[in-house]
Amino acid sequence: MGKFMKSGKVVLVLGGRFAGRKAVIVKNYDEATNDKPYGHALVAGIERYPRRVTRGMGKKKMKERSKIKPFLRVYNYNHLMPTRYSVDLAFDKANLNKEVLKDPMKKKKARNMVRTRFEERYKTGKNKWFFQK
C-alpha cells in the first residue's frame, strides 16, 4: 500500500481538543524521530469555522462572520483520519515546521500566516466543504 498521508491531504482529527475538526497536512514525517518514535504529521486545521453569511448582511458583519481561527499541531497518524480530498494551499515550509511550534512568538506568527491563507481561500469560494462544520 502506498503512502497517502502527504502534504495537502485533508484529514479529520480524531482525538483531543480538536477532535472532529478538519485539518490539512503541512508536512509529513513517515519515519520515526528520536522525540516521536512513530509516524506523525504537522497539521494546520480550523479551530473555529466561519459563520453563515446571508445576502441581507452588511459588509462589516460579513467580514466579522468570515473570520477563521486556525490551529497548528503535530499529530500521530493514528489520531488522524484521511479523507479523499486534498487542498492545494501553498504553505511556506521554511516558516512552518516542528521547530516553530516550540517558540511561542514564532508559533503565533505561523498561526497568523495560516489564518491569512485559510481566509483568502475561503473568500475565493474554493473548497467550500473544507470550511464547513
Side-chain angles (χ1 to χ4, degrees):
M1 195 167 162
K3 306 263 189 246
F4 52 87
M5 293 285 217
K6 294 185 178 127
S7 295
K9 176 68 83 173
V10 176
V11 294
L12 295 176
V13 179
L14 297 177
R17 191 163 104 201
F18 304 117
R21 303 280 183 217
K22 291 183 192 128
V24 180
I25 295 178
V26 177
K27 185 156 176 35
N28 59 323
Y29 301 90
D30 290 327
E31 313 308 317
T33 58
N34 289 338
D35 58 330
K36 295 191 187 309
Y38 45 81
H40 53 283
L42 171 66
V43 300
I46 300 176
E47 185 174 346
R48 191 183 317 120
Y49 290 93
R51 300 174 71 193
R52 187 179 301 280
V53 174
T54 60
R55 263 188 299 172
M57 293 179 185
K59 280 195 164 71
K60 184 180 175 190
K61 192 165 190 177
M62 278 181 161
K63 189 178 173 209
E64 281 299 311
R65 293 176 76 93
S66 296
K67 286 186 178 171
I68 296 171
K69 185 177 181 186
F71 67 87
L72 282 171
R73 199 149 166 211
V74 176
Y75 273 106
N76 185 335
Y77 282 159
N78 294 339
H79 302 155
L80 299 174
M81 186 171 85
T83 63
R84 63 184 179 179
Y85 302 107
S86 53
V87 175
D88 55 337
L89 283 169
F91 291 114
D92 185 14
K93 298 280 195 299
N95 297 334
L96 215 59
N97 52 38
K98 285 199 294 188
E99 281 65 50
V100 168
L101 300 182
K102 292 174 184 160
D103 181 33
M105 289 307 292
K106 286 182 181 175
K107 185 175 179 178
K108 188 173 183 178
K109 201 173 184 181
R111 202 166 43 228
N112 280 336
M113 186 182 74
V114 170
R115 175 183 290 122
T116 55
R117 288 283 198 293
F118 278 167
E119 286 180 355
E120 283 170 12
R121 179 54 62 96
Y122 176 68
K123 286 182 179 122
T124 59
K126 291 181 181 165
N127 309 110
K128 283 188 178 177
W129 47 267
F130 181 69
F131 299 104
Q132 293 172 350
K133 273 189 180 174

